């Protein structure tokens, strides 16, 4: 079940959950988590951001970018935030981790915005 609140409160809940799960790799995970939540706040359609708690799995962050519904999930085993389109299952469309360059994250979210203007 999704919980819809203000976009800021929602991404904060996701970030808090990710950082709790990443206790052992916190130094690697904090910068990428901040970059991803910044991208979500800057580029997601207002009001489309929602957190879905999982009973036996990671918390999910849903958001819509240029009409495309995306889901973010933190993977404890890889210490990466995974991005998928329309479903939390299957192979990730994009991985965000400690080796992600800041410009790659900016370009990714900017591409989603530009796709909506075509």
């Amino acid at each position: 079940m999704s919980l819809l609140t203000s976009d800021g409160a929602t991404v904060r809940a996701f970030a808090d959950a990710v950082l709790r799960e990443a206790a052992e790799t916190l130094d690697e995970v904090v910068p990428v988590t901040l970059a991803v939540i910044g991208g979500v706040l800057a580029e997601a359609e207002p009001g489309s951001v929602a957190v879905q708690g999982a009973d036996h799995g990671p918390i999910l962050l849903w958001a819509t970018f240029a009409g495309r519904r995306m889901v973010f999930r933190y993977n404890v085993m890889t210490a990466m935030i995974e991005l998928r389109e329309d479903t939390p299952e299957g192979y990730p469309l994009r991985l965000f981790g400690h080796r992600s360059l800041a410009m790659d994250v900016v370009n990714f979210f900017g591409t989603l915005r530009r796709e909506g203007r075509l």
Side-chain angles (χ1 to χ4, degrees), residues 57-72:
I59 191 168
L60 304 174
L61 178 68
W62 291 89
T64 302
F65 301 89
R68 295 169 61 190
R69 192 76 174 143
M70 305 285 192
V71 61
F72 297 85

Side-chain angles (χ1 to χ4, degrees), residues 13-37:
F14 177 72
D16 287 345
V18 168
L19 298 179
R20 273 194 311 276
E21 291 180 31
E24 293 182 22
T25 56
L26 205 52
D27 290 344
E28 295 176 1
V29 175
V30 167
V32 75
T33 302
L34 292 175
V36 168
I37 64 171

Side-chain angles (χ1 to χ4, degrees), residues 4 10 12 15 19 27 33 36-37 41 53-54 58 63-64 69 77 99 105 112 114 117:
L4 185 63
T10 303
R12 179 183 295 256
L19 298 179
D27 290 344
T33 302
V36 168
I37 64 171
L41 284 174
T64 302
R69 192 76 174 143
M77 301 300 288
R99 292 189 175 179
V105 177
L112 290 174
R114 285 188 301 276
R117 292 185 180 164

Side-chain angles (χ1 to χ4, degrees), residues 64-107:
T64 302
F65 301 89
R68 295 169 61 190
R69 192 76 174 143
M70 305 285 192
V71 61
F72 297 85
R73 177 175 77 182
Y74 178 69
N75 184 328
V76 176
M77 301 300 288
T78 62
M80 299 180 99
I81 295 175
E82 302 171 341
L83 171 70
R84 293 175 174 80
E85 189 168 359
D86 293 324
T87 178
E89 304 302 323
Y91 192 77
L93 176 69
R94 181 80 182 214
L95 299 170
F96 300 99
H98 73 281
R99 292 189 175 179
S100 298
L101 299 175
M103 213 52 224
D104 290 338
V105 177
V106 169
N107 288 337

